Structures are given as structure tokens and as C-alpha cells.
Amino acid sequence: KQEVTQIPAALSVPEGENLVLNCSFTDSAIYNLQWFRQDPGKGLTSLLLIQSSQREQTSGRLNASLDKSSGRSTLYIAASQPGDSATYLCGGGSNYKLTFGKGTLLTVNP
Amino acid sequence: DADVTQTPRNRITKTGKRIMLECSQTKGHDRMYWYRQDPGLGLRLIYYSFDVKDINKGEISDGYSVSRQAQAKFSLSLESAIPNQTALYFCATSEDRFVGGYTFGSGTRLTVV
């Protein structure tokens, strides 16, 4: 059974700081790993998708990596902005479903 | 129009009432899912469907039922709503083996009083 853990549960940083969010999973037989952003009470917006054969993906200030052998993925956010404040979720796709971590609540202070 | 549309967006219902949440998609994906999200518990899978004739229970299916009316439509029903079914409900779609990842709807906030 796939289990996904996200550390830290909450993170508060000053504007402009670079930061890393962590995601670990127990089953290395995943098809892909997807990072999402969720604003309070809203839906999930896909940020980055790393397919099984890939090791990283980049979009703007975001970079996500995947290391299946160690069961880890990281989301790197460069030059953080107050608008980045949200909950970030990672999901690992294996077998029939995507299994999610509980998320990291990020607050970027002006 | 959104790729995955959920209706209603918000709903308040009374204990014991039957309620249906609807999901439709224009992605052309075969796989559809229903999740619920609760504070501190994350997203949990209720039901999933790989095609119109293939419907499966997820982690927390008790008290729920689903109907896959067409490739594009997947409905979730609460036969007799209870307060602990108060949650944010999400529909999602994907291709086989998650190629292209998941696409989520905007969610339905359900409150059972």
C-alpha cells in the first residue's frame, strides 16, 4: 500500500527566500508523481508532473525532482512571493490511483 | 469551460436526505475518481472507474454509491447523508497509467446538518 508523507506540515518564510518542500513515498513502483497547489477552500491546480522515466521537471520558478530509488520527491521554489502562499500537495500514481500526502502549508511573508 | 465540471459547488443538506454530486469532463479520459478531503486527513479515495462498465470501491466507500452514466459523466450519491460526510468532494480524471497526470474539478463543499 502506497503511503505518501510530506514534510514539513507548515512552513513560513520571508519573501524572496528559496525553499524546498519534501515528499516521500513507500512504493517505488510509481508511474509518476504530481505536485499540486491548493488555495483555501479551492480545488487542486496541477503544478508539475514527473513521469516515471523522468527525474525532474521545471516550470518558471518551480522545479520538481523525483528519485524513485530513495522514494523521494522535492519541490523547489525560487525567489518566493506572497502569492505563493498556499497548501502544496504531492501525489504518487501507482496501480489504480493517485495517493496523496497531507500537504505542506506555505506562508510567504511580505 | 472547465475540463472537469462539478455541480453543485456548495450544498447544505439535512441528515437522512439523499444527495447526488455530479461530475462531467471534456478531457476524453477513461478514468474517473471521487475523493473527499477533510482537514488533517488529506484526500481519500471513495470510488474510481476505469470505464463505463468498470467501477470499484476505494478506501472509504461505505455510505456512498456511484454511477458512470457515460464516459464523460460520473456521479456520486449519498443515500442517507450523515454529519460526518461533511467535507470537500473532488472529482478527478486521468488517462491510463496516469499519463498526463490527474485533472481535478473545482470541488463541491457539502455540509450535512
Side-chain angles (χ1 to χ4, degrees):
Chain A
K1 177 184 176 183
Q2 180 73 275
E3 294 182 2
V4 178
T5 304
Q6 291 188 245
I7 295 173
L11 181 64
S12 181
V13 300
E15 183 177 2
E17 190 162 299
N18 302 326
L19 58 100
V20 174
L21 306 181
N22 296 293
C23 173
S24 62
F25 46 92
T26 55
D27 184 358
S28 62
I30 63 171
Y31 296 133
N32 58 24
L33 191 129
Q34 196 168 1
W35 282 92
F36 297 87
R37 168 188 172 134
Q38 185 177 28
D39 293 294
K42 303 296 185 182
L44 279 70
T45 301
S46 181
L47 297 173
L48 290 166
L49 169 69
I50 309 175
Q51 300 283 7
S52 179
S53 59
Q54 301 171 326
R55 294 187 65 86
E56 67 176 319
Q57 284 288 323
T58 298
S59 176
R61 295 182 294 107
L62 306 180
N63 175 274
S65 66
L66 174 63
D67 184 342
K68 293 176 64 177
S69 62
S70 67
R72 294 182 61 187
S73 177
T74 59
L75 178 66
Y76 174 82
I77 302 177
S80 58
Q81 303 171 357
D84 294 331
S85 298
T87 296
Y88 290 80
L89 295 158
C90 70
S94 61
N95 293 322
Y96 57 88
K97 68 174 183 176
L98 206 62
T99 301
F100 292 88
K102 295 181 179 179
T104 294
L105 175 61
L106 173 65
T107 303
V108 181
N109 301 298
Chain B
D1 287 342
D3 293 324
V4 181
T5 301
Q6 291 185 235
T7 56
R9 294 296 305 274
N10 293 283
R11 180 74 181 267
I12 300 174
T13 192
K14 293 183 178 181
T15 297
K17 292 291 187 181
R18 184 179 189 274
I19 182 171
M20 178 181 289
L21 309 183
E22 299 187 340
C23 177
S24 63
Q25 54 119 342
T26 58
K27 300 285 290 184
H29 289 167
D30 286 326
R31 296 186 174 191
M32 298 187 73
Y33 310 81
W34 277 104
Y35 284 85
R36 67 177 276 178
Q37 186 178 39
D38 299 273
L41 296 178
L43 281 150
R44 294 180 292 167
L45 182 64
I46 306 172
Y47 270 95
Y48 62 101
S49 170
F50 284 176
D51 64 40
V52 174
K53 296 182 179 180
D54 185 359
I55 295 177
N56 304 277
K57 294 181 178 181
E59 307 165 45
I60 54 164
S61 58
D62 288 348
Y64 301 96
S65 63
V66 291
S67 173
R68 184 84 183 263
Q69 300 95 327
Q71 186 208 33
K73 296 184 181 294
F74 193 35
S75 299
L76 175 72
S77 293
L78 286 67
E79 298 301 326
S80 179
I82 56 177
N84 76 0
Q85 292 178 312
T86 293
L88 192 53
Y89 289 84
F90 287 106
C91 174
T93 72
S94 75
E95 295 183 63
D96 186 34
R97 298 208 168 194
F98 312 107
V99 173
Y102 264 40
T103 301
F104 276 83
S106 297
T108 294
R109 179 167 296 283
L110 176 66
T111 303
V112 183
V113 298

